Amino acid sequence: MDRMFRVLGFFTLAIGLMAFAGDMIEMALLFFLQTAFFVVLGFMKFTEKTYILLFWGYMIVTFTGFSYWTVFKMGLPL
């Protein structure tokens, strides 16, 4: 399971590099931070249950933040 977090780190790095190449600096920095988070977690040798709980926590925080941003910061089209 620890290798999957390293794979997530690889994909977030790829997305961050593409965002950086497209002059989306804020998005690139966000994905570079996620890359560091996933790579560090990938080398910590937790149990499988701990990795699953960490991933669920990450998903809850991410989807809550995305929903907040799209509804309250971007506004709803009327």
Side-chain angles (χ1 to χ4, degrees):
M1 192 67 144
D2 55 345
R3 289 184 184 178
M4 286 311 299
F5 276 87
R6 286 183 241 159
V7 170
L8 285 170
F10 170 77
F11 283 115
T12 54
L13 177 64
I15 293 169
L17 289 173
M18 287 187 285
F20 190 71
D23 291 329
M24 294 182 275
I25 304 300
E26 294 87 3
M27 179 180 166
L29 291 176
L30 179 66
F31 274 88
F32 291 150
L33 287 173
Q34 289 181 44
T35 298
F37 174 72
F38 286 140
V39 170
V40 167
L41 281 179
F43 285 105
M44 292 187 86
K45 302 293 182 190
F46 289 131
T47 63
E48 187 172 349
K49 183 177 180 179
T50 304
Y51 278 120
I52 291 172
L53 290 173
L54 284 169
F55 186 70
W56 272 99
Y58 171 76
M59 286 287 104
I60 289 170
V61 169
T62 301
F63 288 133
T64 303
F66 178 77
S67 299
Y68 170 79
W69 187 266
T70 55
V71 172
F72 296 110
K73 294 293 184 178
M74 290 178 66
L76 297 173
L78 297 175

